[in-house]
């Protein structure tokens, strides 16, 4: 039985007819990333009560942790609920990082802000839908649709792609801007944005000062920045997109 089959069952769980439920279905593994501890707990409780075939396997409060767990074979969920306004790393970037490397996990963006603030960016980043937190009924209906069909309803005139299709699109697009930076280059750039000197960065990272200078040179080239300060400004502007 595919996730589409079990998703249809999950949707039926939320709307039983005449008190009759379908036969038990394999568990759908759901994970949540949200930096609001209360929202994390509430969503976990509500999902378990509403969809009997859904199990929340983990929750995370930051993007880096969510990406690592989502891409690990032992903790990879079927569906990941992603808060769009995470601190440190935006939900948009979490979606893009996962989608570029995974064609299976369904990503559903969630937000307390107006949907038009994120709809186009979420779709471009490979999410399968976007829903607000203000209405649990709408939230459950949207999640049920993602489970059953693979994509949520259009939002603000924006359509969403199935996971595999979005993965192919992002894989074919050459990385640009912040996406072109390596993990170490991102660490160096963030440290520079925090006001740390290149000598201090070298000491903290356990690398030579010359290596830091090389990373800085590559960062400026990839961001088409004239100076390190310009690169930092560009990163602060683009890192949540």
């Amino acid at each position: 039985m595919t996730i589409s089959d079990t998703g249809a069952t999950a949707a039926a769980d939320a709307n039983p007819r005449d008190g009759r439920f379908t036969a038990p279905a394999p568990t759908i593994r759901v994970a949540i990333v949200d930096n609001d501890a209360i929202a994390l707990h509430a969503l976990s409780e509500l999902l378990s009560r509403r969809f009997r075939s859904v199990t929340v396997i983990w929750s995370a409060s930051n993007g880096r942790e969510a990406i690592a767990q989502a891409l690990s074979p032992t903790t990879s969920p079927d569906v990941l609920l992603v808060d769009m306004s995470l601190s440190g790393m935006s939900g948009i970037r979490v979606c893009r990082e996962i989608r570029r490397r995974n064609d299976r996990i369904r990503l559903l963006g969630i937000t307390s802000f107006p949907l038009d603030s994120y709809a186009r960016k979420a779709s471009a980043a490979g999410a399968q839908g976007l829903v607000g937190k203000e209405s649990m009924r709408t939230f459950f209906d949207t999640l049920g649709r993602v489970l059953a069909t693979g994509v949520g309803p259009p939002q603000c005139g924006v359509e969403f792609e199935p996971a595999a299709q979005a993965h192919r699109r992002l894989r074919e697009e050459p990385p640009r801007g912040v996406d072109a930076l390596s993990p170490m280059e991102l660490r160096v750039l963030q440290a520079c944005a925090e006001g740390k000197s290149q000598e201090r960065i070298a000491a903290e990272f356990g690398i030579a000062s010359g290596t830091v200078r090389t990373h800085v040179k590559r960062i400026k080239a990839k961001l088409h920045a004239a100076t390190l300060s310009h690169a930092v400004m560009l990163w602060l502007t683009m890192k949540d997109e």
Side-chain angles (χ1 to χ4, degrees), residues 50-231:
R50 186 73 182 220
F51 298 105
R52 62 179 181 147
S53 56
V54 163
T55 296
V56 177
I57 59 172
W58 53 262
S59 60
S61 59
N62 67 79
R64 289 291 177 199
E65 179 186 354
I67 292 171
Q69 294 210 66
L71 296 177
S72 170
T74 58
T75 54
S76 180
D78 297 310
V79 180
L80 177 62
L81 306 181
V82 185
D83 183 21
M84 294 288 92
S85 53
L86 297 171
S87 57
M89 172 187 288
S90 73
I92 297 297
R93 184 154 297 278
V94 171
C95 288
R96 185 180 290 111
E97 292 286 338
I98 292 173
R99 180 55 63 233
R100 183 175 283 116
R101 291 181 274 176
N102 183 283
D103 66 354
R104 182 190 61 81
I105 301 170
R106 298 178 184 186
L107 304 170
L108 176 58
I110 57 177
T111 182
S112 299
F113 294 94
L115 297 184
D116 59 5
S117 300
Y118 293 109
R120 194 167 301 281
K121 291 180 180 180
S123 177
Q128 278 54 73
L130 177 70
V131 66
K133 296 180 181 180
E134 69 280 358
S135 169
M136 282 296 101
R137 180 173 182 177
T138 302
F139 172 79
F140 287 133
D141 286 347
T142 302
L143 176 58
R145 182 161 170 175
V146 170
L147 292 171
T149 70
V151 293
Q155 296 290 0
C156 307
V158 177
E159 302 276 348
F160 296 91
E161 300 170 290
Q165 181 178 330
H167 171 70
R168 288 193 298 271
R169 172 176 56 80
L170 288 175
R171 284 291 298 272
E172 291 170 359
E173 291 179 358
R176 295 174 295 178
V178 174
D179 290 336
L181 300 179
S182 70
M184 179 56 79
E185 288 165 353
L186 283 170
R187 288 184 64 198
V188 169
L189 187 53
Q190 182 168 354
C192 290
E194 294 170 356
K196 296 178 181 178
S197 67
Q198 294 186 27
E199 291 74 19
R200 181 178 174 184
I201 294 171
E204 290 186 359
F205 291 2
I207 57 179
S209 296
T211 302
V212 176
R213 288 193 292 272
T214 298
H215 285 309
V216 168
K217 182 178 180 180
R218 291 173 179 169
I219 288 167
K220 291 191 294 183
K222 290 179 179 180
L223 296 183
H224 303 288
T227 64
L228 177 56
S229 296
H230 186 202

